[in-house]
Amino acid sequence: MTRHSTDTPQFYLTAPSPCPYLEGRQERKVFTHLVGPHAPALNDILSQGGFRRSQNIAYRPACENCRACVSVRIMVDRFDWTKSFRREMRRCSDIVGDVLPAAPSSEQYDLFRRYLDDRHTHGGMSDMTVLDYAMMVEDTHVDTMVIEYRKRGPDTFITGRGDGPLLGVALTDRLSDGLSMVYSFFDPDVEGISPGTFMILDHVERARTLGLPYVYLGYWVNGSPKMAYKARFRPQQHLGARGWRETGDDDE
C-alpha cells in the first residue's frame, strides 16, 4: 500500500489529456495528497498558491505552452453590489442556506444528477455514480462543509433552516483567509431566480460575517464561455507571476 507523508508533501505530474475548457488543447496538472493532521494548513498554503481541492487531492494546471487558467478570488470587503446583484438577492430573499457537515445524501445526489444531465452532459463528471458523489463530498481531511439551500419555511425563524425541496448545494472549504467554493450545483428547472449567482453572493456575505477577506472561485479560463460568469464578481484578484493582483493592476 502506498503511504503519503503528511510532513513533506510529494508532488506529481499527470500525463497530457484533452482540455475540458479549450478545444484542441491538452492539459496537465501537478498534484499532491491532502491527508493527515497537516492537511488543513497545507490546503491553506496551496490554495493561496493557486491550487484547488478535489477530495483529498490538491491540484493546479501545469500545461505546456498555455496559461489560460487563472486563479480567481473575490475581495469581500470591497465587493461591488451592483443593481443586478441586489435584485438577485431580493428575488432569493426566501431562500435559506443550512450549513451541514460534509456528508452526502440521496437527495443531494438526485439534484446533482439532474444538474449534470441538464448543464454538463459531456463534462468530465457526467458519469459519476452515487459512490463517486459520496467520495467527492466526504473524502476530505480539511475544514469542509455542505450548504443546502431551500425555501424559507414556517419554522425557519426558530431553526434557521429552510423547508421543502432542495434548490442548491455548495461544497465549501473554510480557509484561514476565505471560503473556497469547491463545487456547487442547483435545480436546473427553477424559474425566476439565478441560483448559481445567488450561492456566490451568499458566500460573499458569509465570508464577511466570518471576517474572512476572500471567496475563492477556482479558475477563470480566458476564452471559455462556461467560465465567463466569474468575471462579474468584482473587485477580484487574479494570481499571476507577481502574486495576487487586483484585475486591472496588471496585464493578465
Side-chain angles (χ1 to χ4, degrees), residues 22-197:
L22 300 176
E23 188 175 356
R25 300 195 189 185
Q26 296 284 300
E27 72 164 358
R28 301 189 76 177
K29 294 186 177 76
V30 61
F31 70 94
T32 190
H33 294 86
L34 292 171
V35 294
H38 301 293
L42 181 58
N43 191 41
D44 265 2
I45 294 170
L46 293 180
S47 296
Q48 292 164 11
F51 280 71
R52 293 287 287 167
R53 185 182 71 82
S54 177
Q55 296 177 218
N56 65 359
I57 297 291
Y59 70 91
R60 67 170 296 172
C63 307
E64 299 176 8
N65 304 317
C66 182
R67 296 293 182 269
C69 293
V70 179
S71 295
V72 174
R73 65 187 186 186
I74 300 170
M75 303 172 70
V76 170
D77 289 343
R78 294 171 46 206
F79 185 69
D80 182 12
W81 285 95
T82 65
K83 291 182 179 180
S84 175
F85 288 154
R86 293 184 186 279
R87 281 197 301 270
E88 194 59 43
M89 291 298 280
R90 288 195 295 271
R91 293 191 191 106
C92 297
S93 60
D94 64 339
I95 296 178
V96 177
D98 185 17
V99 177
L100 302 169
S105 71
S106 57
E107 187 181 22
Q108 291 172 17
Y109 180 70
D110 289 345
L111 182 61
F112 177 69
R113 280 260 45 106
R114 288 174 54 204
Y115 173 78
L116 290 182
D117 293 343
D118 185 84
R119 300 296 179 97
H120 301 285
T121 53
H122 302 295
M125 305 174 75
S126 60
D127 60 351
M128 285 180 64
T129 67
V130 64
L131 293 178
D132 295 327
Y133 175 77
M135 290 295 289
M136 182 179 79
V137 174
E138 66 186 5
D139 189 5
T140 175
H141 291 247
V142 302
D143 187 357
T144 303
M145 58 187 167
V146 168
I147 306 177
E148 291 188 347
Y149 294 89
R150 305 175 193 269
K151 286 197 173 181
R152 192 179 302 275
D155 297 327
T156 297
F157 73 100
I158 299 175
T159 65
R161 300 175 181 175
D163 193 18
L166 192 59
L167 299 178
V169 175
L171 181 65
T172 302
D173 288 347
R174 178 168 176 171
L175 307 174
S176 62
D177 66 347
L179 297 178
S180 177
M181 298 186 69
V182 176
Y183 195 77
S184 60
F185 53 94
F186 53 84
D187 184 348
D189 298 321
V190 69
E191 297 181 350
I193 61 173
S194 299
T197 297

